[in-house]
Amino acid sequence: MAPAASRSLAENEELLDRLTQELTDLVDDGKLELAAGALVVHHPADRAELLECMPDAARDTLLSHLGDEDLAEILDFLDEEPRARFVSRLDDATLARILVFVDDQVGADIVEELPDERVNPVLSQLANREEVSELLSLPDDSAGRWMSTDFLALRAEWTVEEAFAHLRRERPDTGDHFYLYTVDNEDRLLGVVSIRNFITAQPEARLADIMVTDVIRLDQKTDQEQAAERIRHYGLLALPVVDEQGHLVGLLRADEVLNVQVEEATEDMYLQVGLGADVSPFSPILEALKVRVPWLMMNLVIGFFSAWIVSRFSKTLGEFTLLAAFMPIIAGHGGNAGSQTSTLVVRGLALNEIGKRDISPVVRKEFSFGLAYGLLAGTLTAVLAHYMSNGDVRLSGIVFLAMCGNVMLATLGGSMIPVLLKRVGVDPALASTVWLTTLTDWIGFLLLLGLAALWLEAPGSR
Amino acid sequence: MAPAASRSLAENEELLDRLTQELTDLVDDGKLELAAGALVVHHPADRAELLECMPDAARDTLLSHLGDEDLAEILDFLDEEPRARFVSRLDDATLARILVFVDDQVGADIVEELPDERVNPVLSQLANREEVSELLSLPDDSAGRWMSTDFLALRAEWTVEEAFAHLRRERPDTGDHFYLYTVDNEDRLLGVVSIRNFITAQPEARLADIMVTDVIRLDQKTDQEQAAERIRHYGLLALPVVDEQGHLVGLLRADEVLNVQVEEATEDMYLQVGLGADVSPFSPILEALKVRVPWLMMNLVIGFFSAWIVSRFSKTLGEFTLLAAFMPIIAGHGGNAGSQTSTLVVRGLALNEIGKRDISPVVRKEFSFGLAYGLLAGTLTAVLAHYMSNGDVRLSGIVFLAMCGNVMLATLGGSMIPVLLKRVGVDPALASTVWLTTLTDWIGFLLLLGLAALWLEAPGSR
């Protein structure tokens, strides 16, 4: 078995395809017991993967042959999108029965994602209704929504021997990890006993005497991103989660935080192109229009303004049509250079690599870079203009100045916009791109066409 | 103490500023013992944070007053950028002395980041030279480079009682976690004992009889991104890392994987704008030019080609200069619409939400979206053209068709380009944007100017 376990099914597409085919064949041949057995030998995470890959009909048949606990284990490991599809095929009573075996926080997510008309019917049939409702009352994106409620707390007044007896009695099914949090008699978090101290202490020592009381903890309402960063910052495998009164209510594990990070990364990428977190590649078209059109409209209006700027220079363009050929490259290349700068600065700010003291050196450095690269790009573009215009010095000169100026201003903007956005409390990662490319477009057009207008109208220019 | 621990210093800028000021004042007053004491009460992660915020002179003075072990603890928690600055201020002998107390994998990173001329002098003075050199021989970005070498292995032939005695003797300083991996007498990984089984087993039971042998593991050369995904996929707090012969060599912890994810995210963002992973906002200008210019040049050449396309239509533009005003908006808005689509598809592919079977429905759906939104954007742009041209029906018609066509093709391209890139083995996240915006620029110009040329040259058009 060991070699197979060194790669997950998701990483081994060939094996995944073959196993999916075999399972589907078994189901199609009516050998459902065999198929269920062949599925269950895999890790629940891989079972979820296999089911996702099967054709709908065969999967539904197989699912109806699995027990509630098996289904629950699969739900624990499915990603949001396939989980919603899976849940949509279960009736309310079956879902409520299965949810009892699912982790509370996963159960809360599932209930929350249900269509409105299913929420109450499912909740009312749910045996662990209270726990799930409590989690649902926490803010979305809070640490409490990601915590595991499956943990053991030890009373601080117990001796090591009593704690041991408790552990043997409770037989914690925590698999790979082991935390010895101590609480008072009202379940308020008091401390944590290190494994080292626990193992080497005298049996009659009180936990209160060997525990560490300065426990890094999370409030259940802490924002998930902050919680993730705290776990990463301190290099911990888990943090205890407490409510407002300090009661130990859960445990945020570092592996859950990996899911938080993936979700946050998706949200950030989506927001950059004006997509809400709820949109998916499978959203129906009307929903997609509703979510995606507002951002597109904002860009369209910005574009209308660009069109208006350019239209002011109709006379100049009419006399010198080659200018139009250089509009896109000067505007666009300013955007390219500026986006390198803004990516460096946005990321530096996000990772705290760029502190307050670093801002002005970074802005100065980027401006020097813009100057150096602007001269290079301007020269190359002027050479192209020279050939395309059969040696028109005016065009080369205008193109050189416009490219050089736009690249310089783009690196200045690319370094300053994220800093300014951060100062006014807007996430620089999300808004910098739109502002920067708008700026480089407008400045590029104004420089190119404005310089041309000045030159053409200057006495003796023709 | 407890309430203070509920937020890290990095999250509490006000407190961080105040503490930094107090520390700096103590150092400036020559009260170095007090300052060192005030620093050491904080978690090593927060010490690193505080030191980063101090002025250079005060920090250097304070650092020279810390012991080797204190310095090593701080190095373990510093991010790459500040760590390199910190290390650059230490001489070779001091660094080699400190590195012995640092985690091996952090030590390897530090040695690797040293300027070439320092690597051998430092390595030759390093007491744990062999361990560090071995890690350095592993591929960059491999699981082995992130693993902790600080773990305990138990012999499978031991009884539970013997294992307990071993643990008491070794007093594992593993703080918050506890893994009971079993090995054979040549240290090859055999299995893992669950805490539950370990606590509840009879003292005379052999570990071999209570261990699970189907251990999900990592090869030390496994790519870091794959390793991260495997930990997330299976929802584990750590995975054992083995070498080619199956010897247990380390432990990849989920909290380290958080660092892997942050590094990968930075790399992805950087690569999208042509920045190498080694570049930083603080790179000297010549280095920045070397790293950043190649990508910019590629974009410049693409831009030259756009300029050439537009220049082919000089005659048309000369007769109809308002067309120039609509060039940027039609090209750019195709890019906007297409980037929403490509973001959805790229992310869907990365998270395996879009499987093979989903590709053609998604492409079809995006094309319908493009059709619907293209009609809307085309109509609005045509209305603008109507007003700007004082009612020229030709311009409105051309603008409508070009916008509509470019948006439709952009959504088609935005959904198909990532899929095609993935099929030829190129990371869709990195290359999709460049290809897509190139495509929407070229198609936008060709549609707008090409349609105009056809219309103007058609008999009876004027």
Side-chain angles (χ1 to χ4, degrees):
Chain A
M1 284 298 274
S6 70
R7 277 170 84 188
S8 76
L9 278 183
E11 294 170 63
N12 192 343
E13 216 169 310
E14 214 176 297
L15 182 62
L16 181 62
D17 281 351
R18 189 161 55 78
L19 288 173
T20 308
Q21 193 52 55
E22 288 174 7
L23 266 181
T24 310
D25 290 346
L26 283 176
V27 174
D28 290 345
D29 293 349
K31 297 176 180 160
L32 290 171
E33 293 311 315
L34 269 180
L39 185 68
V40 171
V41 294
H42 296 281
H43 189 283
D46 291 331
R47 283 179 223 163
E49 202 74 37
L50 279 168
L51 285 166
E52 256 318 292
C53 293
M54 289 174 70
D56 292 343
R59 176 180 43 216
D60 286 351
T61 314
L62 182 53
L63 284 178
S64 63
H65 250 73
L66 294 178
D68 292 348
E69 287 192 54
D70 285 330
L71 287 172
E73 257 191 323
I74 291 166
L75 277 182
D76 274 336
F77 281 95
L78 277 178
D79 285 329
E80 198 175 315
E81 183 70 34
R83 191 172 64 195
R85 285 193 247 173
F86 184 123
V87 165
S88 70
R89 285 188 291 267
L90 301 171
D91 63 63
D92 294 348
T94 313
L95 180 59
R97 224 174 47 230
I98 294 172
L99 283 185
V100 174
F101 300 105
V102 171
D103 285 349
D104 286 347
Q105 101 269 24
V106 175
D109 284 346
I110 290 174
V111 171
E112 192 166 51
E113 289 154 17
L114 285 174
D116 291 345
E117 67 276 13
R118 290 193 68 183
V119 173
N120 282 326
V122 171
L123 263 185
S124 66
Q125 297 178 64
L126 204 58
N128 54 342
R129 183 168 48 241
E130 259 179 60
E131 289 83 351
V132 169
S133 302
E134 206 158 302
L135 286 177
L136 280 172
S137 72
L138 291 173
D140 250 10
D141 299 349
S142 66
R145 291 300 299 273
W146 292 90
M147 71 189 179
S148 161
T149 49
D150 193 13
F151 64 93
L152 266 184
L154 305 174
R155 290 284 167 84
E157 77 255 21
W158 287 348
T159 62
V160 169
E161 199 170 11
E162 285 168 328
F164 241 110
H166 178 78
L167 290 174
R168 277 184 213 265
R169 212 165 40 236
E170 293 287 324
R171 299 170 56 98
D173 186 17
T174 52
D176 57 350
H177 69 290
F178 200 44
Y179 294 86
L180 299 173
Y181 293 115
T182 49
V183 293
D184 65 14
N185 52 14
E186 285 177 23
D187 286 329
R188 279 183 294 243
L189 178 65
L190 289 181
V192 64
V193 179
S194 78
I195 304 292
R196 175 186 183 148
N197 283 350
F198 191 65
I199 290 182
T200 55
Q202 296 301 317
E204 61 278 9
R206 301 231 162 251
L207 297 184
D209 297 325
I210 59 172
M211 71 189 182
V212 177
T213 52
D214 182 20
V215 189
I216 299 162
R217 64 190 67 193
L218 290 169
D219 184 90
Q220 59 181 351
K221 289 184 180 164
T222 304
D223 176 72
Q224 62 182 27
E225 207 168 350
Q226 223 175 337
E229 180 51 26
R230 201 174 305 160
I231 284 198
R232 192 186 79 86
H233 179 75
Y234 287 115
L236 294 168
L237 283 176
L239 279 178
V241 182
V242 296
D243 66 11
E244 273 160 9
Q245 289 77 42
H247 299 114
L248 183 59
V249 291
L251 196 67
L252 184 66
R253 295 168 48 130
D255 60 300
E256 270 307 330
V257 174
L258 291 171
N259 289 317
V260 175
Q261 279 194 345
V262 169
E263 193 183 289
E264 290 281 341
T266 305
E267 272 182 34
D268 285 0
M269 286 180 189
Y270 277 17
L271 282 172
Q272 281 210 335
V273 292
L275 296 168
D278 294 335
V279 82
S280 99
F282 308 100
S283 303
I285 186 133
L286 274 180
E287 202 182 304
L289 281 168
K290 212 173 71 186
V291 175
R292 290 162 66 171
V293 165
W295 181 83
L296 288 170
M297 280 294 134
M298 182 191 72
N299 276 283
L300 198 64
V301 169
I302 292 174
F304 283 174
F305 196 73
S306 303
W308 179 80
I309 292 179
V310 176
S311 74
R312 299 290 86 197
F313 295 94
S314 274
K315 187 166 152 276
T316 313
L317 278 163
E319 292 178 48
F320 213 163
T321 53
L322 258 185
L323 283 172
F326 288 90
M327 280 169 39
I329 190 170
I330 286 169
H333 206 55
N336 294 149
S339 65
Q340 283 195 337
T341 301
S342 73
T343 299
L344 277 176
V345 175
V346 162
R347 198 62 187 157
L349 289 172
L351 301 182
N352 283 320
E353 286 183 6
I354 299 182
K356 274 185 204 160
R357 296 187 303 145
D358 304 313
I359 289 172
S360 64
V362 166
V363 171
R364 267 201 306 275
K365 208 220 80 191
E366 284 302 316
F367 186 71
S368 320
F369 175 85
L371 182 64
Y373 180 68
L375 289 170
L376 175 64
T379 306
L380 290 173
T381 316
V383 170
L384 180 76
H386 181 82
Y387 281 103
M388 278 170 61
S389 65
N390 295 316
D392 189 325
V393 178
R394 291 175 310 166
L395 184 70
S396 292
I398 292 165
V399 157
F400 172 80
L401 289 174
M403 178 62 99
C404 203
N406 201 28
V407 166
M408 268 196 300
L409 291 172
T411 52
L412 200 63
S415 54
M416 290 177 63
I417 289 174
V419 174
L420 295 176
L421 286 172
K422 192 179 177 182
R423 204 159 290 172
V424 298
V426 176
D427 183 350
L430 305 182
S432 292
T433 317
V434 173
W435 286 107
L436 181 71
T437 52
T438 303
L439 192 80
T440 50
D441 273 8
W442 291 351
I443 291 179
F445 298 145
L446 281 174
L447 278 175
L448 178 72
L449 302 175
L451 286 170
L454 285 175
W455 203 319
L456 288 174
E457 281 163 27
S461 72
R462 301 205 71 165
Chain B
M1 285 297 273
S6 71
R7 277 170 83 189
S8 74
L9 278 183
E11 295 169 62
N12 193 344
E13 214 168 313
E14 215 175 296
L15 181 63
L16 181 63
D17 282 350
R18 188 161 56 77
L19 288 173
T20 307
Q21 193 52 54
E22 289 175 7
L23 267 180
T24 309
D25 290 347
L26 282 176
V27 174
D28 290 345
D29 293 350
K31 297 176 180 161
L32 290 170
E33 294 309 317
L34 268 181
L39 185 69
V40 171
V41 295
H42 295 283
H43 189 282
D46 290 331
R47 284 178 223 163
E49 203 73 37
L50 279 168
L51 285 166
E52 254 321 290
C53 293
M54 289 174 70
D56 291 343
R59 177 182 39 216
D60 287 351
T61 314
L62 182 53
L63 283 178
S64 63
H65 249 74
L66 293 178
D68 291 349
E69 287 191 53
D70 285 331
L71 287 172
E73 257 192 322
I74 292 167
L75 277 181
D76 274 336
F77 281 94
L78 276 179
D79 285 330
E80 198 175 314
E81 183 68 35
R83 191 173 64 197
R85 286 192 249 173
F86 184 123
V87 164
S88 70
R89 286 189 290 268
L90 301 171
D91 62 63
D92 294 348
T94 313
L95 180 59
R97 222 173 50 229
I98 295 171
L99 283 185
V100 174
F101 299 105
V102 171
D103 285 350
D104 286 346
Q105 100 270 24
V106 175
D109 284 346
I110 290 174
V111 171
E112 191 165 52
E113 288 154 17
L114 284 175
D116 291 347
E117 67 275 14
R118 290 193 68 183
V119 173
N120 282 326
V122 171
L123 263 186
S124 66
Q125 296 179 64
L126 204 59
N128 55 341
R129 183 168 49 239
E130 259 179 60
E131 289 82 352
V132 169
S133 302
E134 205 158 303
L135 286 177
L136 281 172
S137 72
L138 291 174
D140 249 9
D141 299 349
S142 67
R145 292 299 299 273
W146 292 89
M147 71 188 178
S148 161
T149 48
D150 193 13
F151 64 93
L152 265 183
L154 304 174
R155 290 284 168 85
E157 79 255 22
W158 286 348
T159 62
V160 169
E161 200 170 10
E162 285 168 329
F164 241 109
H166 178 77
L167 290 173
R168 277 183 214 265
R169 210 163 45 235
E170 292 288 323
R171 299 170 57 97
D173 186 19
T174 52
D176 57 351
H177 69 289
F178 199 44
Y179 293 86
L180 299 173
Y181 293 115
T182 49
V183 293
D184 65 13
N185 53 14
E186 286 177 21
D187 285 330
R188 278 183 295 243
L189 178 65
L190 289 181
V192 64
V193 178
S194 79
I195 304 291
R196 175 187 184 147
N197 283 349
F198 191 65
I199 289 180
T200 55
Q202 296 300 317
E204 62 278 10
R206 301 231 162 254
L207 297 185
D209 297 326
I210 59 170
M211 71 188 182
V212 177
T213 52
D214 182 20
V215 188
I216 299 162
R217 64 190 67 193
L218 289 170
D219 183 274
Q220 59 182 353
K221 290 185 178 162
T222 303
D223 175 74
Q224 63 182 25
E225 206 169 351
Q226 223 176 337
E229 180 51 26
R230 202 174 303 161
I231 284 198
R232 192 186 79 87
H233 179 75
Y234 288 114
L236 294 168
L237 283 176
L239 279 179
V241 182
V242 297
D243 66 11
E244 274 161 8
Q245 289 78 44
H247 299 114
L248 183 60
V249 291
L251 195 68
L252 184 67
R253 295 169 48 130
D255 59 302
E256 271 307 331
V257 173
L258 291 171
N259 289 317
V260 175
Q261 279 194 345
V262 169
E263 193 184 288
E264 290 281 341
T266 305
E267 272 184 32
D268 285 0
M269 286 179 190
Y270 278 16
L271 282 172
Q272 283 210 335
V273 292
L275 296 168
D278 295 335
V279 81
S280 99
F282 308 100
S283 302
I285 186 134
L286 273 180
E287 201 183 304
L289 280 168
K290 213 173 70 183
V291 175
R292 290 162 67 171
V293 165
W295 182 82
L296 288 170
M297 280 293 136
M298 182 191 71
N299 277 281
L300 199 64
V301 169
I302 292 174
F304 284 174
F305 195 74
S306 303
W308 179 80
I309 292 179
V310 176
S311 74
R312 298 292 83 197
F313 295 95
S314 276
K315 187 166 152 274
T316 313
L317 278 162
E319 292 178 50
F320 214 164
T321 53
L322 257 184
L323 283 172
F326 287 90
M327 281 168 40
I329 191 170
I330 286 169
H333 206 55
N336 294 147
S339 65
Q340 283 195 336
T341 300
S342 73
T343 300
L344 277 176
V345 175
V346 162
R347 198 61 186 158
L349 289 172
L351 300 182
N352 283 320
E353 285 183 7
I354 299 182
K356 274 185 202 160
R357 297 187 303 143
D358 304 313
I359 289 172
S360 65
V362 165
V363 171
R364 268 202 305 277
K365 209 220 78 190
E366 284 303 315
F367 186 71
S368 319
F369 176 85
L371 182 65
Y373 181 69
L375 288 170
L376 175 64
T379 306
L380 291 172
T381 317
V383 169
L384 180 76
H386 181 82
Y387 283 103
M388 279 172 59
S389 66
N390 295 316
D392 189 323
V393 178
R394 291 174 310 166
L395 184 69
S396 291
I398 291 165
V399 157
F400 172 79
L401 290 175
M403 178 63 99
C404 202
N406 201 28
V407 166
M408 268 195 301
L409 292 172
T411 52
L412 200 62
S415 55
M416 290 178 62
I417 289 172
V419 174
L420 295 176
L421 286 173
K422 192 179 176 181
R423 204 159 290 172
V424 298
V426 177
D427 184 350
L430 306 182
S432 292
T433 318
V434 172
W435 286 106
L436 182 70
T437 52
T438 304
L439 192 81
T440 50
D441 273 9
W442 291 351
I443 291 180
F445 298 144
L446 281 174
L447 278 175
L448 178 72
L449 302 176
L451 285 170
L454 284 175
W455 203 319
L456 288 173
E457 282 164 26
S461 73
R462 302 205 72 163

